[in-house]
Amino acid sequence: MNLPSSGLPTSAVVPREQTQAILDRRGAAAGQIKPADHYTLADRLEQQAARFAERPFLIYGKQSLSYAEVDARANQIAHTFYAKGLRAGDVCAMVMENRPAFFCTWFGLVKLGVVVAFINTQVNGRPLLHALETTGAKALVIGEECLGNVLATEGLPTLAYWLVGDEENPWAGDLPGFIDRQFASRLDSAPRSAFPRDIRAAVEAQATTLLIFTSGTTGLPKAARYSHMRWMSSGDVMEVTLAATCDDVFYCCLPLYHGAAATSVTSTALRAGASIVVRRKFSVSEFWRDVVRHNISVFQYIGEICRYLLNRPEQPGERDHNLRCMLGAGLTPESWQRWIERFGPVQVFEGWGATEANTALINVDNYVGSCGRVPDWERTNLRLIRFDVENDCHPRDENGFYQVCEVGELGEAMAFIVNHPEIGGGRFEGYTSADATESKIRRNVLHAGDAWWSSGDLLRQDADGYCYFVDRIGDTYRWKSENVSTQEVADALGDLPGLELINIYGVQVPGHEGRAGMAAVLMQAGQVFDPAALYALSEARLPRYAAPLFVRVSAAADLTSTFKLRKVDLQRQGYCPAACHDPLYIRDEQSGTYQPYSQALLQRLELAPFVVADHG
């Protein structure tokens, strides 16, 4: 660990050879499983259940489920779903909050070789219908706590709908006729004995096991494919990175329908034989109590969670814990430094990547502010490719090829797509949609005939090979740990009475990670903006994280020569009254409307004034 005697992280550069040695160990771990191996997530679960049978696997409140118990419950799920007609290669969607039943249901499905599609627990209506359609789901498993969203959705397709009970959130109303009323009793009486492996014997490691939704730059979220090989390799790699053992306790407080919790946390804990403390939802007040109560040693974060914890008033004994390391993304240098100073010398593995990415960066040096280091660019499939933000394009050289960034230059992270039958690393597994998959591939980038995954993220590197995330390209921004598509928000709010045009974009909020949503609205001639109506529409059609936090009522549309909505200047002006000269409003959940901009309202909502960048 790169910590001085004070226990604080350092910005001293470690030798490149030291960093590369760790990356080489990660690379070796990543290559253990071959694409054609007949080895799946279910096989790993059963191996580890035999090896660590009585060790605690899942801890939830006062419950503790051993590896053997989780495997037995997964067997019950597998027997039940097989009897209901699911077979290897079928897709079963699943909407459920964080709790032991999530893991047992998921693992039971993979014992059949079924592909599991995780559905965001916050969506209903069109986004839910889209999720079921784009995954080609044959069935939907509904956690009882999520039944309301499903029943609020009109036009549900003809699928099998199976309900998994939730003692903490029982459904008070009548169950509709399309939900199988016998499912729960069949599940309870199903055998706990091992489910026959020959049912999935033909499934290869390169086959898809998960579908995880990730937002693109336009439209509704896309379902990214995640193979058994990549899921298990993630655990293999992170086991050596974190030096994880069966004595570690992982904290799972991020939603399992997201990539991080369901992939990195679960695969690493399973690989190491470690325990996972599962919390249904993140709680600022309970975080450190959980860490101490359960002797948690590893925590997967997002920057926003760290900010919440840092903004909480200091409590006695905050450094009296055994948290040794944390991994994640979005931790600002300022928050990083404050975290270590306040909570003690915890090693931070800040990284960069994406659910569908065929590459990744990780900071193994505890070097403050960096999302990873590349000591030798010839030993990675990643490159930073020059990008012209103002003109939204990649400059070309005299031969028509893209250009690799020099030190300090802004560039899009791209990764060469490896396509070899015996190599799993570097593959781009894509999405359920062939068009969506192709849209993320750039061809003839550095050489004729090559193919690269396009991340849409802008990064910079320094002279020592440390990389820093800068921003997203295009129309997707990240807020409250969620990717938000501007097109989706605009579509949801597009029929506001009297509206002529609406332009959605993300703006930086000092002290917050990511960007908050802002809407520039142009009303029709003679029509007046109704802030309460916009609030009501956003509440009815959008998750709260996607609802615009700020609104400006524009006097005229800002269009390009090709009639595309211009956003660069709007983003620069943000919600600064002196810069935008339009009426400004701020979303206020307390009053249930958008209130006129005021310093007092900003302070009450704990939002800092917008800082206009100097582009002179």
Side-chain angles (χ1 to χ4, degrees), residues 146-310:
C146 300
L147 182 56
N149 276 343
V150 176
L151 298 185
T153 300
E154 296 181 0
L156 287 169
T158 302
L159 305 174
Y161 292 89
W162 297 319
L163 190 68
V164 174
D166 181 9
E167 293 179 355
E168 299 171 62
N169 297 281
W171 180 253
D174 295 331
L175 290 179
F178 61 80
I179 289 183
D180 184 346
R181 296 168 185 266
Q182 306 302 318
F183 179 77
S185 60
R186 289 180 180 177
L187 180 59
D188 291 339
S189 61
R192 292 161 57 89
S193 56
F195 186 80
R197 187 184 182 279
D198 58 3
I199 299 297
R200 64 174 187 275
V203 178
E204 294 182 335
Q206 62 189 329
T208 301
T209 184
L210 288 176
L211 298 176
I212 301 178
F213 281 91
T214 177
S215 295
T217 55
T218 59
L220 290 161
K222 301 184 289 291
R225 299 183 182 277
Y226 220 99
S227 67
H228 293 272
M229 173 180 59
R230 190 152 68 101
W231 191 90
M232 289 185 287
S233 293
S234 172
D236 295 343
V237 167
M238 291 312 298
E239 180 195 30
V240 301
T241 305
L242 305 178
T245 72
C246 61
D247 294 323
D248 275 308
V249 181
F250 287 71
Y251 193 47
C252 177
C253 60
L254 298 176
L256 281 160
Y257 63 77
H258 268 192
T263 58
S264 182
V265 168
T266 309
S267 63
T268 308
L270 180 62
R271 179 68 178 86
S275 303
I276 304 174
V277 172
V278 183
R279 174 163 279 278
R280 192 173 287 239
K281 294 179 180 177
F282 168 71
S283 168
V284 172
S285 61
E286 293 296 323
F287 178 85
W288 287 112
R289 293 177 190 171
D290 280 345
V291 168
V292 173
R293 181 187 303 127
H294 298 293
N295 201 28
I296 289 166
S297 55
V298 184
F299 158 50
Q300 178 131 21
Y301 67 87
I302 54 173
E304 194 73 2
I305 281 180
C306 297
R307 188 183 66 80
Y308 290 148
L309 292 166
L310 287 167

Side-chain angles (χ1 to χ4, degrees), residues 557-596:
D558 191 8
L559 302 175
T560 67
S561 58
T562 55
F563 301 99
K564 293 181 180 179
L565 292 165
R566 194 188 309 277
K567 302 189 181 189
V568 173
D569 290 339
L570 295 175
Q571 287 176 317
R572 286 176 179 169
Q573 295 165 7
Y575 53 95
C576 175
C580 73
H581 307 298
D582 286 329
L584 288 170
Y585 293 82
I586 305 174
R587 182 180 175 85
D588 179 24
E589 294 178 3
Q590 180 176 307
S591 60
T593 188
Y594 284 86
Q595 296 282 6

